[in-house]
Amino acid sequence: MSSSCPPSPSPALAADVPAGLPGWAVAALIAAVAGIGTEAFAVAPLLIDIARDFDMAATDAAFAISAYGLAVAVSAPLFGLFAGHLPRRRLIAAGMVIATIAGIVAATAQSFGMLLAARMLSGLACGAVLPTIYAYVGDMVPFAARGRVMGRVMFGWAITMVTGVPLAGIAAEHLGWRGTLTAAALIILVLAVAVLRLPQPPARDAAGPAAGSGHDAASFLARLRHAVTRPGVAALLATNLANMVSFYGIYAYVGTALRNLEGSGAAAAGAIVLWYGVGLAGSTLNARLVDRVGKDRALTVALAFLAVDMGAMSQSLGRPVAFEATLILWGLAQGTVVTALNTLATERAGTARGLVMALMSAVTYLGISTGTAVLGLVMAAHGFVAVGLTAATISLAGVAAARISARRGRIGG
């Protein structure tokens, strides 16, 4: 990965967006998601290299991923609760600066414990950045068009997978994993400058306990209760948890499985994510279909499709054409799921939007930590085929939760 910024999104990505969120602002949000996403996801193809440097097994080195996820799971709801009245632009930029510092500390770590601490600091920063970006979109864009714009912003994840992670794998073979993490950190610092120029969103509704200013235990619990008892929100959080456990359970180990099978380097492990990114780009660039088909319907269908695809993916490892096809379909379905989930959450949250989006990010990274840890045990005991089948089963549980959210959301609405 070079130290330059990711390629600027095409103007077409930000075209046709509603008034109140200009095209350049959409591009800045896309780039911010891409930068944070690259720092988060680039570790997976580097696990073997990190493990070798600290003389440990790759499955043990994966605790660097779990530590990151747990930090986000803890920090995101706290930011949602206590930073609700901070300007979203400044919170996003501040989080990106902290992520830069954490990335440099990780790159210079002289012990695995120091690396874990740095990854936890990165996770803390992510807990401020990503949910605030999604809440910012909710502030600026009406619900009728929000799926389209959220999909544009989610294109940052496609850049992560198509450009960031593959280049991280390539860079690791020339710069080492330390140089790669340093480059990722510097990219985030450059992108933070653009975030500070984002338009100021309209004043947020301060009504209700979700927007209260009290910081005592009773206020904390009241605001949290208000957020999770909004119609359909709890089931939507459960849907997100199932999706991320299954997604990251596959993602964390697919590169390791391929490297073990072929005896290849980090570049090969990073390159396989390119195919996932192609599918993800296809879903996010056509995110208006989520608005047309219906957010709940799109979510349910995509989750069911993911279950089938992940089972097929684990069976096709070693057959390049079939394997790459499952990766493309994986990205296509996952992009639809994430866009629909976040769009629905911004609407069902009501006045608790900032907190609910923080809880969504917390659940996302709780799923990442759980998926990495639990499916790591499955990987060690039974291999990658068992990982795929387990992830498929968990995705089906997400389908059930999504249907419950849809039903309760309609009743509450």
Side-chain angles (χ1 to χ4, degrees):
M1 179 188 302
S2 70
S3 59
S4 61
C5 294
S8 298
S10 165
L13 298 181
D16 193 27
V17 298
L21 195 59
W24 70 263
V26 176
L29 293 172
I30 291 170
V33 170
I36 291 294
T38 296
E39 186 184 52
F41 282 76
V43 171
L46 307 178
L47 284 180
I48 289 178
D49 305 294
I50 293 172
R52 185 182 300 118
D53 207 6
F54 292 113
D55 192 24
M56 61 198 312
T59 50
D60 291 333
F63 280 111
I65 298 172
S66 297
Y68 182 99
L70 286 173
V72 180
V74 171
S75 68
L78 293 179
F79 278 112
L81 282 165
F82 297 119
H85 296 288
L86 294 177
R88 299 214 200 272
R89 298 173 303 174
R90 293 181 183 177
L91 185 55
I92 296 168
M96 294 174 76
V97 171
I98 293 172
T100 297
I101 295 170
I104 293 173
V105 172
T108 57
Q110 297 305 303
S111 68
F112 189 67
M114 186 176 177
L115 176 64
L116 285 180
R119 291 298 293 167
M120 291 181 73
L121 182 60
S122 292
L124 180 112
C126 180
V129 174
L130 290 181
T132 308
I133 287 176
Y134 304 147
Y136 177 84
V137 173
D139 290 343
M140 299 293 290
V141 183
F143 182 65
R146 201 175 299 157
R148 182 167 80 252
V149 179
M150 191 71 76
R152 294 292 192 265
V153 173
M154 291 296 174
F155 186 72
W157 290 110
I159 294 176
T160 292
M161 299 305 181
V162 173
T163 304
V165 176
L167 286 181
I170 294 171
E173 299 195 352
H174 300 281
L175 304 177
W177 66 269
R178 296 178 185 275
T180 301
L181 293 185
T182 300
L186 294 176
I187 288 172
I188 293 173
L189 182 61
V190 172
L191 296 175
V193 177
V195 167
L196 286 172
R197 297 184 60 243
L198 290 172
Q200 177 67 34
R204 302 197 285 276
D205 186 354
S213 58
H215 287 186
D216 59 7
S219 175
F220 181 101
L221 293 175
R223 295 171 67 197
L224 190 62
R225 188 181 306 112
H226 173 78
V228 299
T229 56
R230 293 278 307 174
V233 167
L236 207 60
L237 290 170
T239 305
N240 192 32
L241 178 62
N243 175 248
M244 293 314 300
V245 168
S246 61
F247 168 77
Y248 219 90
I250 287 273
Y251 179 81
Y253 300 108
V254 64
T256 299
L258 183 68
R259 291 182 69 172
N260 288 339
L261 180 68
E262 299 182 353
S264 54
I272 65 171
V273 184
L274 173 65
W275 298 106
Y276 168 86
V278 169
L280 184 63
S283 69
T284 54
L285 290 177
N286 292 286
R288 67 182 62 204
L289 291 175
V290 173
D291 291 325
R292 292 178 181 175
V293 171
K295 283 85 166 174
D296 285 301
R297 182 180 301 172
L299 175 61
T300 303
V301 172
L303 282 167
F305 185 86
L306 276 175
V308 175
D309 185 69
M310 287 188 289
M313 184 193 308
S314 62
Q315 301 285 340
S316 63
L317 190 67
R319 300 196 298 275
V321 174
F323 181 62
E324 289 160 6
T326 62
L327 290 173
I328 293 172
L329 294 174
W330 185 31
L332 187 65
Q334 182 67 13
T336 301
V337 167
V338 172
T339 298
L341 269 171
N342 284 286
T343 304
L344 286 166
T346 60
E347 185 64 14
R348 289 184 180 150
T351 59
R353 179 175 296 144
L355 178 53
V356 169
M357 296 316 296
L359 289 172
M360 285 288 286
S361 282
V363 167
T364 291
Y365 286 91
L366 178 62
I368 286 175
S369 297
T370 304
T372 303
V374 174
L375 275 79
L377 296 175
V378 175
M379 175 79 170
H382 304 290
F384 187 65
V385 171
V387 168
L389 295 177
T390 303
T393 302
I394 295 170
S395 187
L396 289 176
V399 173
R403 295 311 304 153
I404 293 171
S405 177
R407 183 167 62 254
R408 291 181 179 173
R410 283 193 295 269
I411 293 173

